[in-house]
């Protein structure tokens, strides 16, 4: 057993009675500790990481989900990456801890896409760890710790709260992600794409996470203007904030009479509303969720890395697909289709956005047979920059010659 | 435990099948094993949402702990009679260690706290980086905070109009490309600005993210108001023998990232030289040359040949600002403010810049105006003048095309105070 590097406080058992002894509601500031920040990071580095910090010279991907890093000291570290559903229980975390204790001296890390990574220093432990991980399944049959997410794969889907915890979503997050990843599972554990494909989901257009800059983005959208609760609005909203919350100036102050009393409220110019939901974020009396109206838009072609081309926003290509819980078949089918056409046509190293820009959007819509609609034509402020101000285009089946 | 109520959840149950790890199976089994009604009620309410295709959480909820103005997201069910165990279901954001390395001792102890005081459900991790403890009641918030601070030496993360929890890539801990110490930078700035993180004093939220190189593994350029991205200012290091090993097929391009498909033998001309965005590389069959003065450090050649090429040794970071999601004025990526800054502890040069930006934004930012929107409203030129940064061409993709140029009065000889009578002496009307 290697020497412990972490704060000894973590070896002291949790005392479930201590907080009640320390916290006195009559003197709330007594015994209060504040502004201590996070635990210092390096106490949780596995010894090989701590020793070789800043000394790594190269790496290779041995197989999908397995990386090997070499240090200038001659040390190596093997990394096994596993998918997780992000929404996890303490028992799932404890199982991760069991695995970490058994093979990795208790050390484990999470990635920026909510995968987990185990570190070992020899091949024998590596094989034992992988065999163990592959055998762990939930009672329903799903893998607990699928290995993959490296190289030219589809890795984990960065996603949001959905119907599990948020008040403004137009779709669910965890359910859609599970449905999509089940369908694309073969791509998580393989390296057969032209480049890595980042899929992200946001359940409303606040776009918590990475939807605006992902290869494929799943975005919850509304299609009906908000309701206005005249009898409640003054009690729960600051009306000027609701008015200022509208990107299109569609909300105006108004006065209505209820039971002989004049009440301040708002009116929504429905023709100017594009259902962003930001007024509801600011004002609880303007709900807009709607089972039939809400659904999902698909965007493609975004990226954050600076590799070859500059970072790009994702662009809207499918304006609406219905919410179809629990498996969202239309969304799952559309994403697989986009991925397969990309896999077939793109060149090595081309991200989805790089490929589309090379062939042209008109060609992409023709290749994918995704119907092009007016909804993909920008009409917000700087929209003009997205129009085709040249004669450079390809003739595709969209052009009807008369 | 016998009295735990399991709701009928046929649609949720369909999400137990398939290969990807099932959150439903995890939550249900944990709930049954630990006797957690909140897990059952959460699945019950999710089932109702699947049926109605609408959320069943009430709007908002303001809860927290004394001394702080953020860190807890309040949430209440709108089906409180059906699902009483999630009547109140608040989320606690706990500041994660930089780059999310843990030891099981710390994780297990955190799990003990959360089993005792919460639902047992979590998000590892929130998109901003926090460990998210998903679901507890208001009266547990202070005890949770006391447990976190006294028994785990952990603190809350940020929420509201403040500095949110900073995060970083894996950096030098396990990457040969990291040009800056992302963890130390992340930790130092988190500690320096604890007050700004816990007590909202800003016009709106503000995020820091730190990536070690332009691959930007924490998506700093897209997801942080202040994006710090490592880079170098000298030459890419070349190991010519290793280059030959790639050309000879002994080493796998891109470390084997494309090994699942036959892309043919590695062709350095086609896969590296011709894809270089500045066309600053050449291969004469024996030697790889890079005209580093023309290189824009996109990382492509280094990514393809990690055994042969490495970033330079004179390292620092590019500082970019203003990324945000669409609301209100449209999505933005961060824009270059400082092309190269050396970053060594205690990072005073970066802190000085941050504080100038905050002074300006706190004074001038409108309610719920992100920094990126203030830069748009002020204009980039006005913004950099206020934070005392000189304009240079690296800040723009191209110069403006329109001629609507503002000049300040002091820039123009004679100023703007003129007498029309004087004008008329030269030009009778």
């Amino acid at each position: 057993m290697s020497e412990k590097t972490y704060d000894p406080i973590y070896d002291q058992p949790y005392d479930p009675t201590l907080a009640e002894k320390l916290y006195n509601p009559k003197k709330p500031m007594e015994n209060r500790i504040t502004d201590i920040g996070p635990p210092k990071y390096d106490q949780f580095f596995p010894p090989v990481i701590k020793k070789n910090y800043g000394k790594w010279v190269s790496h290779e991907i041995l197989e999908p989900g397995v990386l090997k890093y070499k240090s200038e000291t001659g040390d190596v570290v093997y990394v096994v990456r596993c998918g997780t559903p992000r929404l996890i229980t303490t028992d799932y975390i404890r199982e991760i801890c069991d695995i970490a204790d058994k093979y990795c001296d208790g050390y484990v890390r999470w990635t920026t896409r909510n995968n987990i990574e185990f570190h070992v220093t020899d091949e024998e432990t590596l094989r034992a760890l992988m065999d163990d991980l592959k055998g762990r399944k939930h009672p329903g049959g799903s893998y607990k710790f699928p290995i993959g997410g490296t190289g030219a794969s589809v890795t984990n889907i960065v996603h949001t709260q959905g119907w599990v915890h948020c008040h403004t979503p137009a779709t669910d997050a965890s359910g859609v992600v599970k449905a999509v990843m089940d369908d694309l599972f073969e791509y998580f554990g393989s390296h057969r794409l032209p480049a890595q494909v980042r899929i992200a989901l946001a359940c409303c257009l606040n776009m918590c996470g990475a939807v605006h800059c992902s290869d494929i983005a799943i975005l919850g959208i509304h299609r009906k203007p908000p309701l206005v609760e005249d009898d409640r609005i003054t009690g729960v909203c600051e009306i000027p904030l609701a008015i200022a919350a509208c990107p299109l100036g569609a909300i105006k102050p108004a006065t209505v009479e209820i039971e002989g009393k004049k009440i301040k409220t708002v009116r929504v110019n429905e023709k100017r509303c594009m259902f962003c939901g930001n007024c509801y974020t600011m004002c609880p009396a303007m709900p807009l969720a709607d089972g039939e109206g809400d659904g999902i838009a698909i965007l493609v072609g975004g990226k954050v890395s600076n590799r070859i081309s500059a970072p790009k926003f994702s662009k809207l290509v499918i304006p609406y697909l219905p919410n179809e819980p629990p498996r969202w078949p239309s969304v799952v089918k559309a994403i697989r289709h986009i991925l397969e056409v990309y896999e077939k046509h793109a060149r090595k190293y081309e991200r989805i956005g790089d490929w589309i820009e090379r062939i042209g959007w008109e060609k992409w819509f023709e290749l994918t047979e995704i119907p092009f609609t007016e909804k993909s034509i920008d009409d917000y402020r700087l929209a003009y920059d997205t129009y085709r101000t040249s004669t450079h285009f390809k003739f595709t089946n969209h052009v009807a010659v008369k | 435990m016998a009295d735990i109520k399991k709701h009928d959840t046929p649609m949720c149950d369909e999400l137990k099948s398939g290969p990807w790890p099932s959150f439903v199976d995890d939550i249900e089994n944990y709930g049954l094993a630990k006797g957690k009604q909140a897990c059952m009620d959460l699945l019950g309410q999710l089932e109702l949402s699947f049926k109605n295709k609408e959320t069943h959480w009430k709007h908002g909820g303001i809860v927290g702990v004394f001394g702080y103005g953020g860190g807890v997201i309040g949430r209440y069910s709108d089906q409180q009679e059906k699902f009483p165990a999630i009547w109140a279901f608040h989320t606690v954001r706990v500041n994660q260690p930089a780059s999310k390395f843990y030891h099981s001792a710390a994780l297990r102890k955190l799990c003990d706290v959360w089993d005792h005081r919460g639902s047992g459900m979590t998000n590892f991790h929130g998109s901003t980086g926090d460990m998210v403890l998903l679901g507890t009641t208001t009266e547990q918030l202070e005890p949770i905070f006391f447990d976190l601070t006294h028994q785990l030496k952990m603190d809350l993360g940020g929420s509201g109009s403040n500095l949110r929890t900073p995060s970083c890539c894996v950096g030098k801990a396990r990457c040969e490309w990291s040009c800056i110490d992302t963890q130390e930078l992340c930790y130092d700035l988190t500690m320096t600005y604890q007050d700004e993180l816990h007590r909202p004093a800003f016009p709106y939220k503000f995020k820091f993210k730190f990536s070690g190189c332009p691959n930007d593994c924490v998506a700093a350029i897209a997801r942080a108001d202040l994006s710090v991205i490592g880079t170098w200012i000298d030459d890419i290091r070349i190991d010519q023998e290793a280059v030959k090993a790639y050309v000879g097929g002994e080493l796998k391009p891109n470390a084997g990232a494309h090994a699942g498909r036959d892309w043919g033998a590695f062709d350095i001309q086609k896969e590296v030289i011709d894809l270089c965005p500045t066309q600053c590389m050449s291969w004469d069959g024996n030697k790889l040359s890079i005209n580093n003065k023309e290189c824009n450090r996109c990382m492509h050649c280094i990514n393809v040949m990690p055994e042969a090429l490495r970033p330079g040794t004179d390292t620092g970071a590019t500082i970019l600002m203003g990324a945000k999601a669409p609301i209100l004025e449209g999505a933005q990526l961060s824009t270059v403010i400082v092309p190269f800054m050396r970053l060594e502890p205690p990072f005073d040069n970066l802190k000085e810049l941050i504080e100038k930006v905050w002074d300006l934004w706190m004074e001038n930012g409108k309610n719920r105006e992100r920094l990126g929107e203030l830069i748009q409203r002020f204009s980039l030129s006005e913004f950099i003048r206020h934070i005392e940064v000189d304009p240079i061409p690296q800040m723009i993709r191209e110069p403006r095309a329109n001629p609507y140029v503002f000049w300040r009065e002091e820039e123009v000889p004679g100023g703007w105070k003129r007498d029309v009578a004087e004008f008329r002496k030269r030009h009778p009307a």
Side-chain angles (χ1 to χ4, degrees):
Chain A
M1 198 68 190
S2 53
E3 201 177 319
K4 281 169 186 169
T5 54
Y6 57 86
D7 193 313
I9 199 170
Y10 299 117
D11 282 334
Q12 292 167 23
Y14 170 55
D15 177 356
T17 66
L18 187 68
E20 276 79 6
K21 286 179 205 152
L22 292 173
Y23 176 60
N24 177 359
K26 288 185 182 130
K27 293 181 180 170
M29 301 315 281
E30 199 175 79
N31 297 323
R32 182 169 297 269
I33 297 172
T34 65
D35 300 276
I36 58 172
K40 188 140 189 279
Y41 53 92
D42 55 354
Q43 64 182 305
F44 300 131
F45 285 164
V48 65
I49 296 293
K50 195 160 185 132
K51 180 184 166 199
N52 295 288
Y53 191 85
K55 296 177 181 168
W56 301 105
V57 291
S58 69
H59 76 282
E60 69 184 288
I61 312 175
L62 300 180
E63 60 184 274
V66 185
L67 299 134
K68 179 185 182 183
Y69 288 81
K70 285 192 291 192
S71 165
E72 66 188 30
T73 64
D75 286 352
V76 298
V77 65
Y78 300 92
V79 182
V80 181
R81 185 176 294 169
C82 305
T84 82
R86 190 180 85 110
L87 167 55
I88 58 179
T89 67
T90 51
D91 273 0
Y92 185 91
I93 296 174
R94 284 197 183 87
E95 191 164 340
I96 293 169
C97 292
D98 292 342
I99 298 164
D101 286 344
K102 191 166 173 191
Y103 301 99
C104 313
D105 287 333
Y107 297 95
V108 62
R109 82 171 283 260
W110 269 259
T111 70
T112 57
R113 299 190 74 85
N114 309 311
N115 296 308
I116 44 176
E117 290 181 337
F118 296 103
H119 296 77
V120 297
T121 51
D122 67 273
E123 287 195 49
E124 195 183 332
T125 315
L126 172 68
R127 292 298 148 194
L129 166 64
M130 289 175 67
D131 288 344
D132 188 343
L133 291 167
K134 284 173 188 169
R136 290 177 189 255
K137 290 186 171 186
H138 285 296
S142 64
Y143 289 99
K144 284 181 176 173
F145 306 106
I147 298 169
T150 53
S153 68
V154 174
T155 187
N156 212 338
I157 299 182
V158 168
H159 64 276
T160 55
Q161 296 293 27
W163 294 331
V164 166
H165 202 256
C166 193
H167 58 163
T168 68
T171 189
D172 188 36
S174 303
V176 185
V177 165
K178 164 75 173 147
V180 172
M181 285 309 290
D182 276 343
D183 186 64
L184 300 182
F185 191 69
E186 65 198 278
Y187 289 98
F188 180 77
S190 65
H191 285 163
R192 59 193 235 204
L193 293 165
Q196 72 266 41
V197 171
R198 303 288 188 239
I199 306 180
L201 176 147
C203 43
C204 82
L205 50 59
N206 278 328
M207 294 196 185
C208 299
V211 155
H212 61 310
C213 288
S214 295
D215 294 277
I216 303 177
I218 307 165
L219 175 66
I221 56 150
H222 303 287
R223 296 186 301 163
K224 297 185 184 183
L227 303 157
V228 180
E229 285 175 286
D230 289 335
D231 56 347
R232 189 164 169 259
I233 191 164
T234 46
V236 297
C237 303
E238 283 195 51
I239 287 177
L241 292 184
I243 292 167
C246 182
L248 294 176
I251 304 172
K252 293 277 183 290
T255 308
V256 293
E257 221 177 88
I258 296 178
E259 292 166 4
K261 271 198 276 183
K262 287 202 167 170
I263 289 175
K264 281 184 183 161
T265 183
V266 298
R267 282 294 169 262
V268 177
N269 179 345
E270 296 191 343
K271 286 194 175 151
R272 292 194 68 146
C273 174
M274 46 63 185
F275 332 111
C276 73
N278 198 40
C279 52
Y280 179 60
T281 299
M282 299 308 294
C283 173
M286 299 182 73
L288 79 162
D290 187 278
E292 296 171 328
D294 297 347
I296 281 172
I298 305 288
L299 297 83
V300 302
K303 68 188 271 268
V304 295
S305 93
N306 289 272
R307 185 175 184 171
I308 306 175
S309 62
K312 304 177 204 290
F313 288 125
S314 357
K315 317 290 197 296
L316 187 130
V317 292
I318 302 179
Y320 175 79
L321 293 167
N323 276 324
E324 298 166 318
R327 287 249 163 220
W328 277 266
S330 302
V331 171
V332 166
K333 192 177 157 203
I335 289 171
R336 169 169 280 272
H337 176 63
I338 289 168
L339 194 69
E340 284 178 348
V341 177
Y342 162 72
E343 181 183 8
K344 186 175 169 196
H345 290 276
R347 293 179 183 163
K348 193 176 180 185
Y349 306 115
E350 271 181 342
R351 297 285 293 266
I352 289 184
D354 296 329
W355 165 56
I356 298 175
E357 284 178 11
R358 175 171 60 80
I359 65 173
W361 284 93
E362 69 277 32
K363 196 69 177 179
W364 185 82
F365 277 100
E366 185 179 64
L367 276 174
T368 57
E369 299 176 17
I370 289 172
F372 181 82
T373 74
E374 62 176 13
K375 309 295 185 213
S376 281
I377 302 177
D378 197 356
D379 52 13
Y380 181 68
R381 294 177 55 210
L382 304 173
Y384 176 81
D385 289 351
T386 67
Y387 302 163
R388 179 95 56 161
T389 54
S390 78
T391 59
H392 300 171
F393 56 81
K394 296 175 183 174
F395 288 108
T396 59
N397 57 16
H398 303 95
V399 181
V401 181
K402 284 172 187 154
Chain B
M1 277 191 209
D3 58 351
I4 190 164
K5 188 186 171 198
K6 196 175 161 188
H7 303 279
D8 189 27
T9 56
M11 283 194 275
C12 286
D13 292 348
E14 282 189 48
L15 293 173
K16 291 178 184 171
S17 62
W20 188 251
S22 170
F23 69 98
V24 175
D25 234 342
D26 181 26
I27 291 171
E28 186 177 298
N29 288 306
Y30 169 83
L32 292 173
K34 292 285 198 295
K36 286 276 186 193
Q37 188 61 47
C39 295
M40 299 299 132
D41 283 5
L42 185 82
L43 290 175
Q45 183 172 306
L46 183 62
E47 182 77 14
L48 189 65
S49 282
F50 280 0
K51 189 173 154 221
N52 295 335
K53 304 183 201 177
E54 290 170 3
T55 189
H56 282 290
W57 298 104
K58 289 189 181 191
H59 185 283
I62 297 172
V63 291
V65 299
F66 279 106
Y68 287 180
V72 185
I73 316 301
R75 201 64 82 215
Y76 300 93
S77 171
D78 72 9
Q79 301 293 314
Q80 303 189 340
E81 286 179 10
K82 272 195 193 118
F83 309 114
I86 54 170
W87 183 88
F89 197 69
H90 311 318
T91 275
V92 181
R93 290 184 180 161
V94 183
N95 199 148
Q96 83 289 0
S99 69
K100 300 171 187 149
F101 280 92
Y102 296 94
H103 192 275
S104 58
L107 285 174
R108 285 183 197 280
K109 198 166 176 185
L110 182 66
C111 289
D112 290 344
V113 172
W114 195 232
D115 281 351
H116 181 54
R117 302 200 181 276
S119 71
M121 290 177 274
T122 76
N123 289 148
F124 265 66
H125 294 73
S127 293
T128 297
D130 297 287
M131 297 176 259
V132 173
L133 305 180
L134 191 68
T136 192
T137 55
T138 310
E139 58 274 15
Q140 287 293 342
L141 295 176
E142 288 291 358
I144 289 165
F145 182 65
F146 271 68
D147 282 349
L148 288 172
T149 50
H150 287 269
Q151 299 200 60
L152 283 159
K153 293 193 184 171
M154 291 181 184
D155 203 341
L156 298 186
S159 70
S161 291
N162 61 0
L163 174 65
R164 298 295 184 84
T165 307
S167 66
C168 63
C169 70
V170 73
K172 288 176 187 269
R174 210 202 58 215
C175 182
E176 66 268 30
W177 298 329
S178 194
C179 297
I180 50 172
D181 192 339
T182 56
Q183 282 100 351
E184 182 56 27
L185 192 52
C186 187
Y187 182 72
D188 184 307
L189 265 64
T190 305
M191 297 309 289
T192 303
Y193 298 118
Q194 280 288 293
D195 188 30
E196 287 78 3
L197 193 155
H198 294 303
R199 295 164 200 90
F202 292 164
Y204 202 8
K205 68 179 91 166
F206 196 98
K207 299 187 181 186
F208 291 164
K209 281 190 171 32
F210 310 96
S211 276
C213 83
N215 282 323
D216 199 359
C217 289
V218 75
I221 203 166
R223 297 168 66 180
D225 301 84
L226 182 95
S227 317
V228 178
I229 300 179
T231 193
W232 63 95
I233 200 165
D234 55 347
D235 290 353
I236 291 175
R237 288 172 282 171
I238 307 178
D239 175 344
Q240 296 289 355
E241 291 310 309
V243 174
K244 283 176 198 156
Y246 279 105
V247 173
E250 295 142 51
L251 292 170
K252 283 183 276 184
N254 220 107
H258 303 263
R261 176 163 156 189
D262 183 7
W263 291 95
F266 176 64
D267 181 340
I268 193 172
Q269 185 68 35
K270 191 173 135 201
E271 296 187 36
V272 180
I273 311 298
D274 291 350
L275 291 181
C276 170
T278 65
Q279 301 288 293
C280 70
M281 304 180 77
S282 60
W283 167 250
D284 65 4
N286 191 45
K287 190 176 173 224
L288 179 72
S289 307
I290 302 175
N291 180 356
N292 283 282
K293 291 276 180 218
E294 298 299 318
C295 169
N296 67 7
R297 303 167 319 286
C298 83
M299 293 297 296
H300 175 64
C301 58
I302 296 173
N303 289 344
V304 174
M305 300 191 289
E307 301 277 351
L309 301 178
R310 301 177 69 190
T313 54
D314 189 359
T315 57
T318 302
I319 315 297
L320 308 92
M321 294 184 196
K324 58 177 283 292
I327 296 292
L328 199 59
E329 305 276 348
Q332 291 181 212
L333 292 158
S334 281
T335 194
V336 173
I337 301 295
V338 181
F340 190 76
M341 185 184 274
R342 287 199 171 80
L343 288 174
E344 301 296 337
F347 311 112
D348 285 338
N349 49 352
L350 180 59
K351 288 174 189 170
E352 192 186 326
L353 180 68
I354 289 168
E355 285 161 28
K356 273 185 194 165
V357 169
W358 281 353
D359 283 348
L360 177 73
W361 178 57
M362 288 170 75
E363 186 76 18
N364 294 279
K366 294 186 195 171
N367 183 40
R368 286 174 66 85
E369 183 178 51
R370 292 288 286 269
L371 178 67
E373 288 165 338
L374 176 126
I375 294 172
Q376 289 249 33
R377 179 165 60 85
F378 265 47
S379 79
L380 179 60
S381 40
E382 190 78 353
F383 174 68
I384 58 172
R385 200 161 55 83
H386 276 95
I387 61 168
E388 296 167 308
V389 171
D390 290 331
I392 54 172
Q394 283 80 357
M395 290 174 176
I396 55 164
R397 193 162 41 79
E398 59 189 17
R400 69 193 299 155
N402 67 68
Y404 304 156
V405 178
F406 289 102
W407 293 90
R408 288 184 300 283
E409 186 173 7
E410 64 271 21
E411 292 178 304
V412 187
W416 292 347
K417 291 196 177 43
R418 290 188 288 162
D419 181 357
V420 73
E422 285 297 313
F423 181 85
R424 286 293 165 223
K425 281 183 193 166
R426 303 192 300 277
H427 307 284

